[in-house]
Amino acid sequence: MSILFVSATDDPGPWLRELNRLLPEHPVRVWPERGDDAAIRYAVAWKPPPGLLASLPRLEVILSLGAGVDAMLADPTLPDLPLVRMVEPGLVLGMTEWVAAQVLYWHRNQHAYSAQQARGVWQPLDEFLAQERRVGILGLGELGAAAARALAALGFDVAGWSRSPREIPGIACHSGPDGLAALLARSDILVCLLPLTAETRGILDAELFAALPPGAVVINAARGAHLVEGDLLAALAGGRLRGASLDVFTEEPLPAGHPFWRHPAVVVTPHVAAKTHARTAAASIAEQIRRHERGLPLENVVDSRRGY
Ligand code: NDP
Ligand code: OXD
C-alpha cells in the first residue's frame, strides 16, 4: 500500500525521509513517478494536476499538504473520498509569527519610520499602547484563533469573526453575517485568515473597507481571491486605508509590474506566512493514515459542501 507524494513546489527529500521513518511499511512514490497505480492508497498533495487523483483506482484518502483546500476542491474530477486538510503545530506557529510581525510593524509605525529613514528624517510619531489598538481577525479557526490569542497576549484589544459562534477567553467573538459589521467597525487593523469559499471570495472589497475605521490597515494571509485588488488600491489612494500587508495574491508569483510591488503603502511577502515543513507536519499525516488503518475516524476532514 503506497503513498503518492504530489507537489510541484515542495522539495520531496525531507518528506520522503520523514514518511519513511514514520510509516516504514508504506513505500512513498514521488509524482510523476507512480509505480503501480493500483498500489496507491494515499495521496499527500499540494495543487495536484486536475484529474491526477481521479486516475488512481484504489485511492482511499487524500491528505492535503496545505491548510487551505480551495485549489483541490476546484478540480471537478476530485474523487469523492475523505480529504484531510493540514493541521499541524508548525503551520500555526509560522502564521502566528507572520501575523504578529505585520501587526506590530503597522502598530509601531515602522512603515513610516522606514520611509523617514530613507529621507534622513528624525521625526517621532504618535505612538499608541497595544491596548489602545483594536485588531479584528476574520476567521477563528486553527490559525485565526492562535493569532488572536498571541495578539491578546501582547496586549492588543482583539476581536474575531467566524461562521458559527466561538468562545475564546480574552477575545470578543462575533459570528455570522450579522456579526461582521460590529467586528469591522472596531478594527484598526484587520487580519484575514478565512478559507476561500463561495461565501468569502472577494470579501475584502470597497464595501468592507468603508466599514472599517478611517486609516485602518488590512492584512491578508489567507488567499489572494479574498481581496478585490482594485478596491484596495482605490482605498489606499483615497486615504480610506493607511496600508496593507499581503502574503497571497490572485496570481502567484505576483506578476512583474503589478502595482503592489512598488506601492509605498503595501508590504508584499511571497506566500510564506506559514509553510508546511515535513519535520513537523509529516507526523500529522502519519497519524491520519494510522487512524484510517485502525478504523478510527479521520480528523480535520474537509466538508466539501461548506468548502473548508
Ligand atoms: P480553519 O478551517 O481552521 O478556520 C477557518 C475559520 O474561518 C473558521 O473560524 C470558520 O468559521 C471561519 N469561516 C469560514 N467561512 C466563514 C464565513 N462564511 N463567515 C465567517 N467565518 C467563516 O482554517 P485555518 O485557520 O487552518 O486556515 C485558514 C486559511 O488560511 C486557509 O484556508 C488558507 O487559505 C490560509 N492559509 C494561508 C497560508 C499562508 O502561508 N499564507 C498558510 C496556511 C493557511 P467556523 O469556526 O464557524 O468554522
Ligand atoms: C496553506 C498554504 O493553505 O500554504 O497551507 O497556503
Side-chain angles (χ1 to χ4, degrees):
M1 291 206 286
S2 61
I3 299 172
L4 183 66
F5 179 88
V6 188
S7 170
T9 49
D10 295 88
D11 174 5
W15 286 98
L16 273 172
R17 264 197 309 281
E18 287 299 315
L19 291 173
N20 285 333
R21 184 176 66 80
L22 294 164
L23 298 167
E25 67 283 20
H26 294 292
V28 183
R29 314 271 176 226
V30 177
W31 177 81
E33 195 266 315
R34 297 157 63 143
D36 175 10
D37 277 1
I40 298 172
R41 295 289 188 281
Y42 307 101
V44 173
W46 175 246
K47 297 190 177 171
L52 171 66
L53 301 180
S55 73
L56 303 172
R58 302 197 55 200
L59 190 63
E60 290 178 10
V61 182
I62 304 166
L63 299 117
S64 169
L65 282 167
V69 289
D70 44 289
M72 200 96 92
L73 293 178
D75 175 0
T77 69
L78 187 73
D80 185 16
L81 294 172
L83 166 59
V84 176
R85 66 185 204 90
M86 182 55 72
V87 174
E88 62 99 8
L91 211 49
V92 174
L93 282 173
M95 185 59 82
T96 301
E97 287 174 5
W98 188 88
V99 170
Q102 300 305 321
V103 167
L104 287 167
Y105 176 87
W106 290 103
H107 168 62
R108 292 307 309 264
N109 289 318
Q110 187 53 50
H111 200 70
Y113 289 129
S114 296
Q116 289 187 180
Q117 182 179 349
R119 290 181 286 121
V121 174
W122 181 276
Q123 178 61 59
L125 302 171
D126 275 353
E127 299 288 350
F128 292 85
L129 297 173
Q131 67 206 43
E132 296 163 335
R133 191 78 75 182
R134 299 164 302 173
V135 181
I137 316 254
L138 301 176
L140 286 175
E142 295 292 333
L143 304 179
R149 284 192 202 95
L151 292 170
L154 285 170
F156 288 100
D157 180 358
V158 184
W161 183 63
S162 52
R163 213 166 67 105
S164 48
R166 299 253 146 189
E167 276 184 32
I168 305 176
I171 312 297
C173 294
H174 303 266
S175 62
D178 297 343
L180 183 58
L183 177 99
L184 297 177
R186 49 83 67 220
S187 295
D188 303 314
I189 299 179
L190 184 75
V191 180
C192 180
L193 282 172
L194 290 166
L196 182 64
T197 67
E199 285 175 20
T200 65
R201 182 176 292 272
I203 189 170
L204 303 175
D205 65 0
E207 191 183 334
L208 178 143
F209 301 147
L212 292 169
V217 167
V218 169
I219 295 177
N220 187 20
R223 284 290 181 264
H226 284 121
L227 175 68
V228 181
E229 295 185 350
D231 288 3
L232 176 67
L233 290 168
L236 291 169
R240 176 79 219 168
L241 295 179
R242 175 159 70 107
S245 291
L246 307 175
D247 183 57
V248 284
F249 303 89
T250 315
E251 190 180 343
E252 296 181 4
L254 187 62
H258 192 289
F260 289 159
W261 277 121
R262 295 195 177 279
H263 198 294
V266 176
V267 173
V268 169
T269 56
H271 201 142
V272 290
K275 303 269 284 173
T276 306
H277 294 288
R279 57 191 180 278
T280 51
S284 116
I285 286 175
E287 169 66 11
Q288 296 313 315
I289 290 178
R290 284 197 211 98
R291 288 180 74 88
H292 178 69
E293 294 186 347
R294 285 188 202 130
L296 296 172
L298 292 167
E299 298 166 321
N300 311 312
V301 175
V302 171
D303 176 341
S304 57
R305 280 162 313 151
R306 259 184 356 179
Y308 71 101

